């Protein structure tokens, strides 16, 4: 296939589609009709001779080729922008892009979030996708298994803790074991989330009976329900409880490792190294307090 057959317009449009994995929202951002975007993506797939996405019910997902194409499109756009800046004698306008989940932004990366950094908020899967497709220069997430195609740099490790009202009977103990939670009513995330899956596995392995108080997505809502006395919850040790709540480490649950994620080919990219340096500095300050 000749390079001239690749449409740069179609590549740029596919990169936007890859951000959303939704033709309607991507078309709105591009200010074109949904059918027009669909034609662009379809023709790009035909030119490459490879499927770029798959459909699972209503959910769309990029194929491995789709991930590569989205990454190539963004790299091409960055190179064109740098070339034009050089031609006009102006400084490149690239700004670093960071992807992370709600918990990481609230309790881990607070000092890093500032004007001049583009932010992407998403769960672990979205963070990994943003890094793989080149949408994010750096991602931050909890990892239990390190992907083979992404460089994972350890940042910090925190114990898992039980958060509860400060007058709860278990608050009198310096630390806890899973067996201490027998009969507990837990505020827990939805059953498909990685935290819920790991938690249920650990409780089942320890033979600990428990009941579900309420399902909650995100640490802030979880803490809110605990404050209301709905139940107790197991959260990452970096989570700061509000007044009236306390945490105690659960000694037989594994620690939670946060990693910085980037493509191996970008290990020396100033946008990656600069963000990583800021994050390490911020975490160093927190650990020194």
């Amino acid at each position: 296939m000749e390079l001239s057959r690749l449409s740069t317009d179609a590549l740029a449009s596919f990169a936007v589609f890859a951000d959303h994995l939704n033709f309607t929202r991507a078309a709105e951002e591009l200010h074109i009709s949904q059918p027009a975007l669909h034609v662009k993506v379809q023709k790009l797939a035909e030119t490459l001779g490879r499927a770029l996405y798959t459909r699972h019910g209503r959910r769309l997902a990029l194929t491995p080729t789709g991930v590569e194409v989205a990454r190539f499109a963004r790299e091409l756009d960055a190179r064109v922008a740098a070339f034009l800046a050089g031609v006009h004698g102006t400084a490149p306008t690239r700004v670093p892009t960071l992807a992370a989940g709600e918990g990481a932004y609230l309790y881990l990366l607070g000092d890093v979030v500032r004007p001049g950094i583009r932010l992407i908020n998403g769960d672990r899967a979205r963070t990994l996708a943003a890094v793989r497709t080149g949408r994010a220069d750096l991602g931050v997430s909890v990892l239990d298994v390190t992907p083979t195609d992404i460089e994972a740099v350890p940042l910090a490790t925190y114990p898992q803790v039980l958060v509860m009202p400060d007058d709860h009977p278990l608050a009198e103990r310096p630390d806890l074991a899973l067996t201490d939670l027998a009969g507990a009513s837990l505020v827990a995330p939805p059953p498909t989330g990685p935290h819920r899956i790991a938690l249920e596995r650990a409780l089942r392995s320890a033979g600990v009976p428990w009941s579900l108080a309420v399902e909650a997505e995100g640490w802030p809502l979880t803490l809110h329900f605990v404050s209301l006395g709905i139940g107790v919850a197991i959260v990452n040790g970096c989570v700061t409880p509000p007044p009236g709540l306390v945490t105690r480490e659960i000694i037989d649950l594994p620690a939670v490792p946060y990693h910085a994620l980037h493509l191996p080919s970008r290990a020396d990219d100033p946008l990656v190294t600069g963000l990583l340096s800021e994050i390490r500095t911020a975490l160093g300050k927190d650990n020194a307090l």
Side-chain angles (χ1 to χ4, degrees):
M1 183 192 70
E2 296 180 1
L3 183 61
S4 60
R5 293 179 58 194
L6 276 179
S7 165
T8 55
D9 176 62
L11 285 169
S13 297
F14 181 75
V16 175
F17 164 75
D19 289 348
H20 298 280
L21 288 176
N22 181 287
F23 278 102
T24 301
R25 291 198 294 269
E28 290 175 352
E29 181 174 331
L30 291 165
H31 304 291
I32 61 176
S33 69
Q34 181 178 339
L37 175 59
H38 197 279
V39 169
K40 288 177 186 287
V41 173
Q42 184 177 6
K43 286 185 175 180
L44 180 61
E46 291 172 354
T47 299
L48 294 169
R50 295 288 189 275
L52 300 180
Y53 68 91
T54 57
R55 184 182 296 275
H56 307 276
R58 294 185 177 182
R59 187 175 67 87
L60 304 182
L62 296 181
T63 64
T65 300
V67 171
E68 291 183 12
V69 172
R71 184 166 63 241
F72 172 76
R74 293 195 178 91
E75 291 172 351
L76 180 62
D77 181 67
R79 292 184 65 180
V80 169
F83 170 76
L84 293 176
V87 168
H88 293 93
T90 58
T93 57
R94 290 178 66 201
V95 297
T97 301
L98 176 64
E102 179 185 52
Y105 278 128
L106 288 174
Y107 305 111
L108 200 72
L109 302 171
D111 291 340
V112 178
V113 177
R114 57 169 174 77
I117 296 180
R118 290 197 183 103
L119 304 174
I120 298 172
N121 179 28
D123 59 14
R124 183 187 310 180
R126 285 195 64 194
T127 296
L128 287 168
V131 172
R132 284 190 171 108
T133 61
R135 186 184 177 201
D137 301 298
L138 196 72
V140 172
S141 181
V142 171
L143 289 182
D144 44 13
V145 177
T146 304
T148 58
D149 61 329
I150 290 179
E151 189 75 23
V153 181
L155 290 176
T157 301
Y158 297 93
Q160 295 189 62
V161 300
L162 185 73
V163 60
M164 59 198 139
D166 54 16
D167 59 354
H168 193 281
L170 293 178
E172 299 177 0
R173 306 187 186 183
D175 51 46
L176 303 170
L178 278 172
T179 52
D180 295 322
L181 275 59
S185 183
L186 296 178
V187 180
T192 56
H195 178 65
R196 173 72 174 270
I197 292 171
L199 177 60
E200 287 191 347
R201 185 183 299 122
L203 290 169
R204 184 168 55 250
S205 178
V208 176
W210 64 284
S211 61
L212 179 66
V214 63
E215 289 182 354
E217 283 200 79
W219 299 138
L221 184 58
T222 297
L223 295 176
H224 176 67
F225 284 140
V226 175
S227 294
L228 293 177
I230 303 298
V232 296
I234 296 174
V235 302
N236 296 347
C238 60
V239 174
T240 305
L245 299 184
V246 296
T247 61
R248 296 291 182 268
E249 179 179 351
I250 303 175
I251 58 175
D252 48 354
L253 280 180
V256 178
Y258 282 86
H259 291 78
L261 315 170
H262 64 78
L263 294 172
S265 60
R266 300 193 59 194
D268 298 322
D269 188 317
L271 290 183
V272 172
T273 57
L275 264 181
L276 186 54
S277 177
E278 285 190 55
I279 292 172
R280 283 172 163 163
T281 299
L283 291 179
K285 290 178 180 178
D286 290 342
N287 290 335
L289 292 178

